[in-house]
Amino acid sequence: GEGAGGEGRHALAALSRCAEVLRAGPAAAVRAKTLFRQAQAHAALCNWREAWQAVRLARELRPASDEVHALQLTVQARAQGGR
């Protein structure tokens, strides 16, 4: 649908911004937030493997974060279930 196309473009733009931030070698807190956003964008594009890699790294940096944990569970279920 139309909405999915706009969402896809938004997710791709977010991934581009995340890559720029991560290239700068930010502090752990910024890196964790950026990886979380990257995982969300990959999930929006159904890139489950990439989403899993990003959210796993975010969880290592922010193990106490409920939002990171929730996203990790969602991505894990989708990644294991296939596309």
Side-chain angles (χ1 to χ4, degrees), residues 18 21-22 24-37 58 61-62:
C18 289
V21 171
L22 292 172
V30 174
R31 205 160 85 233
K33 190 171 206 76
T34 304
L35 286 163
F36 176 72
R37 294 237 167 89
L61 292 166
R62 290 180 62 199

Side-chain angles (χ1 to χ4, degrees), residues 10-69:
H10 180 75
L12 289 171
L15 287 174
S16 177
R17 283 195 305 275
C18 289
E20 279 178 40
V21 171
L22 292 172
R23 268 198 298 275
V30 174
R31 205 160 85 233
K33 190 171 206 76
T34 304
L35 286 163
F36 176 72
R37 294 237 167 89
Q38 194 175 54
Q40 285 181 310
H42 276 304
L45 295 167
C46 298
N47 294 337
W48 302 116
R49 185 178 297 144
E50 293 87 347
W52 170 249
Q53 289 168 343
V55 78
R56 193 169 47 86
L57 290 171
R59 184 107 166 112
E60 284 176 18
L61 292 166
R62 290 180 62 199
S65 169
D66 289 339
E67 66 176 0
V68 173
H69 187 228

